Amino acid sequence: MRLVFSWTSLRFCSSTKLIHSPLRRSICAVSRGNMGVDADSNKSFARRDELLAIEKKVHAWWEEGNVFSAESCEKPPEPGEKFFGNFPFPYMNGFLHLGHAFSLSKLEFAAAFHRLRGVNVLFPFGFHLTGMPIKAAADKLAREIQQFGDPPVFPVAVEEEEASTKPEKQESTEAQPDKFKGKKSKAASKAGAQLYQWDIMRSFDLDDTEISKFKDPEAWLNYFAPIAVDDLKEFGLGVDWRRSFVTTDINPYFDSFVRWQMRKLKELGKIVKDVRYTIFSPLDGQPCADHDRASGEGVLPQEYTLIKMEVIPPFTEKLRALEGRRVFLAAATLRPETMFGQTNAWVLPDGKYGAFEINDHDVYIITHRAALNLAYQGFSRIPQKPTCLVELTGHDLIGLPLKSPLTTNEIIYTLPMLTILTDKGTGIVTSVPSDAPDDYIALHDLKSKPALRAKYGVKDEWVLPFEIIPIIHIPGFGDKPAEKVCVDMKIKSQNEKDKLAEAKKQTYLKGFTEGIMLVDEFKDRKVQEVKPIIRKKLIEIGQAITYSEPEKKVMSRSGDECVVALTDQWYITYGEPDWKQLAEECMSNMNLYSDETRHGFEHTLSWLNQWACSRSFGLGSRIPWDEEFLVESLSDSTIYMAYYTVAHLLHQADMYGENASNPVKPEQMTDEVWDFLFRGGPYPGSSTISSAHLKKMKQEFEYWYPFDLRVSGKDLIQNHLTFCIYNHTALMDKRHWPRGFRCNGHIMLNAEKMSKSTGNFKTLKQAIQDFSADATRFSLADAGDGVDDANFVFETANAAILRLTKELAWMKEVMDAEASLRSGPPSKYADRVFANEMNLAVKMTEQHYQNYMFREALKSGFYDLQAARDEYRFSCAASGLNRDLIWRFMDVQTRLLTPICPHYAEHVWREYLKKDGYVLRAGWPEAAAPDMTLKSANKYLQDSIVQMRKLLQKQVSGSKRGSKRGAPVTQLAEDKKLVGLIYVTEEYAGWKLECLRILQSKYNHETRSFAPDAEITEALKNTDVARGMDHKQMQKVCMPFVRFKKDETLALGVHALDLKLPFGEIEVLSENVDLIKRQLGLEHVEVLSAMDRDAVERAGSLRSLLDQNPPSPGSPTAIFIDV
């Protein structure tokens, strides 16, 4: 039965060709309202609106030209001829936001760059619907309607229970010393109160009359994907939309593909049924994978050894109901090898515990949370339902006599510790004061403070007789490492938490990696060696069991806290040695663009093991041989990039795969057909698909595969991206393995974390409405390129609006005044410099785009090019701009900016430059090799003008510091005409020449370093110049210059030691005297050689300036005189 929406608040969707059912047409039309900035009567949005109008017009041009459709060729592509890039399809339970856009922009800019260069580009885009979030949200909405009505009337106020302050210490919170602990993932850092699902739906601007329809998951499937297509088209995304699809069995073609993939993996022995520990949602009744979690993404089961410490009868009154059973305090530990040193057990006095029935005979005293985990691991008389026989507090447990495994003490007692955490482990902690600083200090406190013992009713005989038992020798800390480190750090109380944390840090890992056992049976053996042996022995003799719980708190999207369950289900055998070797080979040959990304993959491959691939709740494709279960959401999205290559030949532009006119029927896509297409299988002779169509699909795959680049957030390294590598190596030929992954960090907005709860959040649609698509893209490119978190700045987007619109106005102004521009070939110095700057921008920007460093591409291709144009305009004020150069500038800048601001570029290309075709495929601009000598000469010119201006200002203002050497300067009258005499020395001479020659001889080109200063000083002493100086004079005169040139060489390169500049200084300055005059406001300028006696005489009374501040190569001296 189809759902039908009313037409009270609908809008038409531009992607109506994707809509085929009444449901889809109506849902797509539901209005999202105006999410842009409200109009402010005192603020004009004319510039932004100008860009929006351009974008709308350009979209129509692109639609008409079908510019993003990609077609394969019969001939296989040569290297660099094609580019296939893709992006992890977003989950469609909401609108796309700037977080999506940031990662996506990296691929968009890369694809647009390759397309501009003439490469055949395939950029497809799909939508993920698999998993439990949509089903969980729909069910939650249904429960709210059932409870509160339709529309619901919620309670006026909902009181939230305040979280109790929790103590900070428990042995079981310790990380395994041999296990890597990573930073929090994006999902693991999410926080915030739960909202009503109805209110969440209202945030999508849905009317109350429409929301109830979303209690059916199909409404979600049909609503958000078409809207996302519209938003991405407005963004200017260069996607071949014919190849789009949605996942789950709603699309029978993709469903067939996933079923084939799973069958093939099972045939290859890559999918097995096994009993393993997994993160599990009790409410959903199934494993909870990363994509099923509201928080806790990347969290794995943490395995402990549960030590059974038996309570010795007779029982206390509180435990009287347990008579006749074996009662144990059960403590979770990561270090079973330390149990030889137990002196007592710890409990939290105010902690809440229970006596839980494990079987007909045994009872464990633990926290309720630990009991729930155990119940899902087979340790509960009623499976998955813990039975609490007696409710207890820590006070009820203090003083209980215990018989504990391995310890030499026949009886130990339960004592109070105030820093135990009850949300990790079992709330029961073993005490080993020889090795654990926390245990040593807590026991020391009880021994030394009678008042503390009295407060908790602790008898002396429970504490005072128990001494430290040496069990492990740690180099540097001895046989009692906890005591030594506490004494060394002068720790006096268990309240010194920071010091205790540092003490533990110093001893814990070292004890595991370097510790040597002292106990008889294992004497002189390494801790690392005996730990598994001791653990195994304890379990075999029934004194311990295996216990597992989540490393950190995990919340499912259904709203319940997850446990670790021992489940019998289908697993993909990631980590299997031979398969892992293939994955490592694939990864080693991939371009990963950063060392941090490569390290992330190496780490993931080192620990990744079997992965639960089946689910009983949610949406998706069925496990083909066990249809009670669904394929989980990370397992149906590992090789779907191959599906893109043929999707348009299966269901054309019908993303749901339901159009009866599609060229291939879903039932025709047999395993033999998929094998033929993607695995090099034989031609499927029994197929009813036409031979021509089969061959065309085969051609598409062989032409486009392997994909060249997949762009993703770095948080997917630990699952999806590594799964992608594994599955490609299992199912495809080596020549079809992935070529590159580029991972990025997350996006902040205005230097703060993007968060709906704080309001610092923006959807893609909102950003486009607020800033325009191109200004949004501009700011995304400027946000950052590395794997660290980037920053989208609203001011940058607003500045982009101003820059782009002002540039349009300038180009129109120039074109209107074309007749006034200087004609003919470029001939002046400024012309040559500007042309060279354009050549440099073309080369540098191409390099940055090729390296996918888009912020740098924006700098060299726009900011630097703008600066060069502005400098050219100033330099040519008198003679006028050269028409050909200005037209070339507009062409070059337009092309270089095309990948980032394509709407703007297309508008300029067609409307201003009057070019044919589309700028998207215009080709990379041609450019000669940059003349770096000319660039250096221009920098010299500009730097010299800056220094001359500073000196002139000092002379005009009467400064007594007219030169950097302190020479006096004659004051100049402001109303007089001034003449500038610029003195130049083009080659070093005298003692500076000698210093440079010595530095040249003492420079090692291989190591890019100099000999020691003592060796340089000794060489200077033997020069003719230095012989006339004593040591003090040489240190004062020569060594500052030597140090300056050494630093300059290390910073700029060995050319800093050249005896003269690579260009003629007099020639550069002479050719630009008009510019110098105009910049400094001088009547006349002369460029003179300081080596010419007659020229020096021209300085007159100011000649002393030349003596005290002589010019040197690269540093002319200017003198200003009145006329």
Side-chain angles (χ1 to χ4, degrees):
M1 178 176 134
R2 286 288 183 185
L3 297 172
V4 180
F5 277 66
S6 73
W7 291 84
T8 56
S9 59
L10 305 184
R11 66 179 177 85
F12 287 97
C13 186
S14 65
S15 56
T16 51
K17 67 180 181 180
L18 299 174
I19 312 302
H20 298 288
S21 71
L23 169 65
R24 215 152 280 135
R25 284 194 296 271
S26 58
I27 292 180
C28 179
V30 174
S31 171
R32 282 176 287 166
N34 178 18
M35 294 187 292
V37 250
D38 293 331
D40 184 341
S41 58
N42 297 320
K43 184 176 181 181
S44 171
F45 294 96
R47 291 182 180 274
R48 178 204 62 187
D49 293 344
E50 178 184 358
L51 293 179
L52 288 171
I54 288 171
E55 289 164 5
K56 183 177 180 180
K57 175 180 62 178
V58 169
H59 291 155
W61 294 346
W62 289 344
E63 192 78 20
E64 179 185 1
N66 206 25
V67 293
F68 299 124
S69 293
E71 299 295 343
S72 65
C73 302
E74 292 185 12
K75 181 183 176 183
E78 297 294 329
E81 179 183 321
K82 67 89 180 174
F83 174 82
F84 175 16
N86 50 70
F87 171 82
F89 39 28
Y91 193 76
M92 285 289 97
N93 62 341
F95 299 138
L96 298 177
H97 52 70
L98 280 179
H100 294 112
F102 175 64
S103 293
L104 185 55
S105 70
K106 304 304 179 187
L107 177 58
E108 162 67 3
F109 299 154
F113 165 67
H114 288 296
R115 187 183 294 112
L116 176 64
R117 293 173 59 242
V119 174
N120 194 8
V121 171
L122 172 59
F123 181 4
F125 202 94
F127 301 97
H128 204 201
L129 306 176
T130 304
M132 62 168 290
I134 288 175
K135 183 69 166 64
D139 289 354
K140 184 180 179 184
L141 189 64
R143 291 193 297 270
E144 291 174 5
I145 292 171
Q146 182 179 13
Q147 184 176 358
F148 300 111
D150 182 8
V153 179
F154 296 117
V156 175
V158 179
E159 292 185 3
E160 295 184 2
E161 183 181 348
E162 297 237 334
S164 60
T165 303
K166 296 180 180 177
E168 297 185 0
K169 190 267 178 188
Q170 160 143 321
E171 177 182 293
S172 60
T173 63
E174 298 169 351
Q176 290 189 44
D178 55 347
K179 184 175 177 62
F180 174 86
K181 304 299 289 182
K183 297 179 181 178
K184 287 194 296 184
S185 70
K186 176 174 67 174
S189 66
K190 292 177 181 176
Q194 292 289 323
L195 296 173
Y196 286 117
Q197 187 63 43
W198 192 280
D199 289 332
I200 294 173
M201 304 311 292
R202 282 174 174 166
S203 74
F204 297 137
D205 281 337
L206 285 165
D207 188 89
D208 278 0
T209 60
E210 307 291 344
I211 292 176
S212 62
K213 309 243 182 351
F214 286 85
K215 66 185 179 184
D216 185 331
E218 187 183 350
W220 297 73
L221 307 188
N222 296 312
Y223 180 66
F224 287 105
I227 288 175
V229 172
D230 284 351
D231 291 348
L232 293 171
K233 284 185 174 181
E234 287 187 34
F235 187 59
L237 203 67
V239 163
D240 184 350
W241 292 108
R242 302 172 304 158
R243 300 172 187 260
S244 294
F245 63 89
V246 298
T247 66
T248 75
D249 53 8
I250 195 174
N251 181 335
Y253 297 91
F254 187 73
D255 182 61
S256 170
F257 172 75
V258 172
R259 286 169 172 263
W260 162 77
Q261 175 189 350
M262 299 303 285
R263 277 193 292 264
K264 193 57 58 177
L265 287 172
K266 189 169 185 292
E267 288 175 15
L268 295 170
K270 307 300 184 186
I271 296 180
V272 298
K273 202 163 192 181
D274 198 2
V275 177
R276 291 187 59 84
Y277 291 106
T278 188
I279 306 294
F280 192 91
S281 166
L283 180 61
D284 297 329
Q286 65 175 9
C288 188
D290 283 355
H291 283 188
D292 302 326
R293 302 175 188 177
S295 65
E297 184 176 342
V299 173
L300 299 172
Q302 173 69 70
E303 189 173 281
Y304 296 92
T305 303
L306 204 68
I307 304 297
K308 297 164 62 175
M309 299 181 286
E310 186 171 2
V311 180
I312 300 174
F315 293 165
T316 63
E317 183 63 32
K318 193 71 177 179
L319 302 182
R320 192 75 65 196
L322 306 178
E323 291 281 4
R325 296 178 184 245
R326 296 192 303 170
V327 180
F328 299 90
L329 266 65
T333 181
L334 296 169
R335 299 290 299 274
E337 75 281 5
T338 65
M339 294 302 99
F340 294 98
Q342 294 174 85
T343 58
N344 61 278
W346 300 115
V347 294
L348 180 68
D350 294 329
K352 295 180 180 180
Y353 298 87
F356 291 92
E357 192 174 28
I358 301 302
N359 51 46
D360 291 338
H361 308 287
D362 293 350
V363 173
Y364 289 177
I365 295 177
I366 51 180
T367 61
H368 287 259
R369 183 189 145 278
L372 184 62
N373 276 274
L374 278 174
Y376 278 86
Q377 296 165 30
F379 292 100
S380 178
R381 192 175 66 81
I382 303 175
Q384 301 185 359
K385 291 185 179 180
T387 303
C388 183
L389 301 177
V390 181
E391 294 284 353
L392 300 164
T393 69
H395 288 283
D396 300 324
L397 306 177
I398 293 173
L400 289 179
L402 306 172
K403 181 180 180 181
S404 191
L406 300 184
T407 180
T408 56
N409 292 304
E410 290 187 12
I411 297 176
I412 62 175
Y413 293 92
T414 308
L415 302 177
M417 178 183 261
L418 307 182
T419 55
I420 291 175
L421 292 171
T422 56
D423 61 354
K424 290 290 286 184
T426 64
I428 309 293
V429 181
T430 59
S431 175
V432 185
S434 60
D435 283 69
D438 291 287
D439 296 341
Y440 171 80
I441 287 296
L443 188 62
H444 179 271
D445 274 356
L446 283 171
K447 282 189 171 189
S448 62
K449 299 175 181 178
L452 184 61
R453 297 198 297 274
K455 179 179 179 180
Y456 292 103
V458 175
K459 297 180 180 180
D460 290 354
E461 58 265 30
W462 300 347
V463 179
L464 299 182
F466 293 89
E467 299 296 334
I468 294 174
I469 305 171
I471 56 171
I472 296 174
H473 176 85
I474 302 177
F477 293 95
D479 296 350
K480 300 177 182 179
E483 180 181 45
K484 176 172 173 49
V485 73
C486 287
V487 170
D488 290 349
M489 296 181 66
K490 299 180 181 179
I491 301 173
K492 303 295 184 182
S493 166
Q494 57 186 309
N495 293 324
E496 297 180 74
K497 298 173 184 176
D498 292 341
K499 280 188 175 182
L500 283 168
E502 177 60 29
K504 176 180 174 181
K505 182 179 178 181
Q506 289 184 26
T507 59
Y508 188 72
L509 180 61
K510 193 169 186 179
F512 178 78
T513 57
E514 301 180 30
I516 302 295
M517 297 296 294
L518 300 174
V519 293
D520 291 341
E521 184 179 351
F522 301 100
K523 187 175 176 60
D524 297 330
R525 297 176 70 177
K526 291 184 177 181
V527 169
Q528 290 187 82
E529 176 188 345
V530 303
K531 174 182 174 178
I533 298 172
I534 295 172
R535 182 177 189 272
K536 182 180 179 183
K537 177 182 176 182
L538 285 169
I539 293 173
E540 286 177 347
I541 63 178
Q543 293 183 333
I545 63 171
T546 298
Y547 167 70
S548 191
E549 67 181 26
E551 293 172 317
K552 298 177 183 177
K553 187 175 182 179
V554 177
M555 297 298 296
S556 79
R557 291 184 183 270
S558 296
D560 71 320
E561 183 175 351
C562 292
V563 298
V564 168
L566 196 59
T567 60
D568 179 16
Q569 65 158 341
W570 296 105
Y571 291 89
I572 300 180
T573 60
Y574 300 132
E576 183 271 320
D578 291 340
W579 198 8
K580 178 181 177 182
Q581 186 174 354
L582 290 176
E584 289 172 335
E585 179 186 350
C586 175
M587 186 270 293
S588 68
N589 291 318
M590 293 176 68
N591 189 346
L592 299 177
Y593 299 94
S594 81
D595 290 339
E596 184 174 340
T597 298
R598 188 167 297 279
H599 295 332
F601 277 104
E602 290 169 347
H603 172 65
T604 300
L605 287 170
S606 73
W607 64 257
L608 183 62
N609 211 320
Q610 290 187 355
W611 182 267
C613 62
S614 58
R615 296 290 180 268
S616 57
F617 174 83
L619 306 175
S621 297
R622 295 283 167 183
I623 298 284
W625 59 88
D626 193 354
E627 299 219 358
E628 175 187 352
F629 296 101
L630 295 157
V631 179
E632 76 74 44
S633 62
L634 282 166
S635 299
D636 78 342
S637 54
T638 56
I639 61 167
Y640 71 89
M641 312 87 193
Y643 186 83
Y644 281 130
T645 64
V646 300
H648 63 308
L649 298 175
L650 296 177
H651 45 81
Q652 297 176 327
D654 168 22
M655 77 164 91
Y656 294 92
E658 64 182 14
N659 195 328
S661 64
N662 284 331
V664 177
K665 305 305 177 189
E667 57 271 18
Q668 292 178 292
M669 296 305 297
T670 62
D671 283 6
E672 291 73 23
V673 172
W674 292 118
D675 282 343
F676 169 69
L677 295 179
F678 298 146
R679 282 180 51 80
Y683 181 86
S686 61
S687 175
T688 56
I689 303 173
S690 72
S691 175
H693 206 74
L694 280 170
K695 290 179 179 178
K696 177 62 176 174
M697 288 194 289
K698 180 71 170 176
Q699 174 187 304
E700 284 281 324
F701 173 73
E702 292 294 342
Y703 180 86
W704 293 115
Y705 239 69
F707 63 79
D708 301 281
L709 178 67
R710 186 164 180 79
V711 171
S712 168
K714 62 185 177 183
D715 50 308
L716 294 186
I717 292 174
Q718 65 188 3
N719 43 56
H720 163 72
L721 294 177
T722 303
F723 296 173
C724 176
I725 291 175
Y726 263 111
N727 280 265
H728 275 85
T729 61
L731 296 173
M732 294 190 180
D733 187 83
K734 188 176 293 189
R735 63 193 175 92
H736 291 142
W737 290 0
R739 288 180 177 168
F741 290 148
R742 187 194 186 282
C743 297
N744 53 263
H746 306 133
I747 188 77
M748 297 186 292
L749 299 188
N750 299 322
E752 294 183 4
K753 178 184 174 182
M754 191 167 74
S755 169
K756 288 182 180 179
S757 62
T758 63
N760 193 42
F761 184 82
K762 199 172 282 289
T763 67
L764 177 58
K765 181 69 174 179
Q766 287 172 328
I768 294 170
Q769 290 178 338
D770 289 354
F771 307 119
S772 79
D774 277 353
T776 299
R777 294 167 65 114
F778 190 103
S779 192
L780 288 169
D782 189 69
D785 291 307
V787 292
D788 294 329
D789 289 352
N791 186 25
F792 183 97
V793 181
F794 290 3
E795 288 183 4
T796 302
N798 283 321
I801 295 172
L802 184 62
R803 278 184 171 273
L804 295 174
T805 53
K806 287 182 71 173
E807 192 66 11
L808 290 174
W810 176 80
M811 284 189 283
K812 187 176 187 307
E813 179 184 332
V814 167
M815 290 178 166
D816 289 344
E818 180 179 0
S820 66
L821 299 180
R822 175 162 45 91
S823 60
S827 58
K828 298 184 176 296
Y829 179 85
D831 294 343
R832 298 198 302 276
V833 169
F834 186 37
N836 191 57
E837 288 296 320
M838 286 191 279
N839 291 338
L840 184 64
V842 169
K843 298 299 183 183
M844 290 297 295
T845 306
E846 182 176 27
Q847 181 179 331
H848 294 319
Y849 274 129
Q850 286 173 337
N851 294 332
Y852 303 145
M853 301 301 289
F854 304 112
R855 186 176 192 172
E856 295 303 312
L858 186 63
K859 179 182 181 297
S860 61
F862 184 73
Y863 287 116
D864 291 351
L865 201 52
Q866 290 264 301
R869 187 274 313 275
D870 292 342
E871 181 184 306
Y872 178 61
R873 291 168 65 188
F874 190 86
S875 299
C876 293
S879 58
L881 307 176
N882 179 271
R883 190 266 181 200
D884 292 347
L885 278 181
I886 291 299
W887 253 251
R888 184 189 177 217
F889 164 79
M890 290 189 290
D891 181 292
V892 167
Q893 179 179 259
T894 300
R895 298 193 205 207
L896 298 191
L897 200 55
T898 291
I900 296 172
C901 299
H903 308 91
Y904 163 89
E906 199 71 74
H907 174 71
V908 172
W909 188 256
R910 182 174 295 198
E911 300 285 1
Y912 286 43
L913 301 180
K914 307 298 181 184
K915 300 274 192 174
D916 295 330
Y918 296 92
V919 73
L920 302 177
R921 294 175 177 158
W924 193 253
E926 295 182 0
D931 184 342
M932 300 312 295
T933 299
L934 179 57
K935 182 170 180 62
S936 297
N938 188 57
K939 185 178 187 304
Y940 162 82
L941 171 64
Q942 301 302 327
D943 290 349
S944 297
I945 291 174
V946 170
Q947 292 303 317
M948 292 177 205
R949 182 181 295 111
K950 289 179 180 178
L951 182 55
L952 177 59
Q953 289 171 347
K954 290 178 181 180
Q955 285 193 244
V956 170
S957 63
S959 170
K960 294 182 180 180
R961 296 181 295 107
S963 76
K964 58 186 177 184
R965 295 186 179 274
V969 177
T970 302
Q971 184 170 348
L972 302 172
E974 293 189 51
D975 57 348
K976 294 286 186 72
K977 294 180 179 180
L978 301 178
V979 171
L981 303 180
I982 305 173
Y983 289 90
V984 176
T985 296
E986 295 193 308
E987 188 167 354
Y988 287 103
W991 64 269
K992 288 186 177 180
L993 175 62
E994 294 293 345
C995 288
L996 285 173
R997 284 175 173 167
I998 289 172
L999 286 174
Q1000 288 173 345
S1001 67
K1002 300 299 181 180
Y1003 181 74
N1004 187 319
H1005 290 266
E1006 292 183 3
T1007 62
R1008 297 181 181 179
S1009 62
F1010 287 95
D1013 284 349
E1015 186 175 327
I1016 295 173
T1017 302
E1018 189 63 30
L1020 276 172
K1021 289 179 181 178
N1022 297 322
T1023 62
D1024 293 336
V1025 173
R1027 289 194 185 101
M1029 304 180 187
D1030 59 27
H1031 179 72
K1032 186 175 181 180
Q1033 286 177 313
M1034 187 177 72
Q1035 288 292 324
K1036 183 178 180 181
V1037 175
C1038 297
M1039 293 312 294
F1041 177 73
V1042 168
R1043 285 192 292 270
F1044 169 76
K1045 296 306 289 186
K1046 283 176 62 179
D1047 292 343
E1048 189 179 34
T1049 302
L1050 296 176
L1052 303 178
V1054 70
H1055 63 81
L1057 299 177
D1058 291 344
L1059 303 182
K1060 61 183 298 184
L1061 300 183
F1063 52 84
E1065 295 181 59
I1066 292 177
E1067 179 184 355
V1068 170
L1069 294 172
S1070 298
E1071 195 170 357
N1072 288 280
V1073 291
D1074 287 340
L1075 175 63
I1076 297 170
K1077 284 163 54 179
R1078 190 167 67 256
Q1079 288 261 28
L1080 302 182
L1082 302 177
E1083 179 70 17
H1084 180 68
V1085 170
E1086 292 186 42
V1087 182
L1088 306 170
S1089 171
M1091 308 302 293
D1092 184 339
R1093 289 172 177 257
D1094 293 336
V1096 172
E1097 293 296 329
R1098 298 278 306 279
S1101 61
L1102 297 179
R1103 178 175 175 176
S1104 61
L1105 287 177
L1106 294 177
D1107 296 332
Q1108 297 181 41
N1109 188 26
S1112 61
S1115 180
T1117 298
I1119 296 174
F1120 304 99
I1121 58 178
D1122 295 331
V1123 177

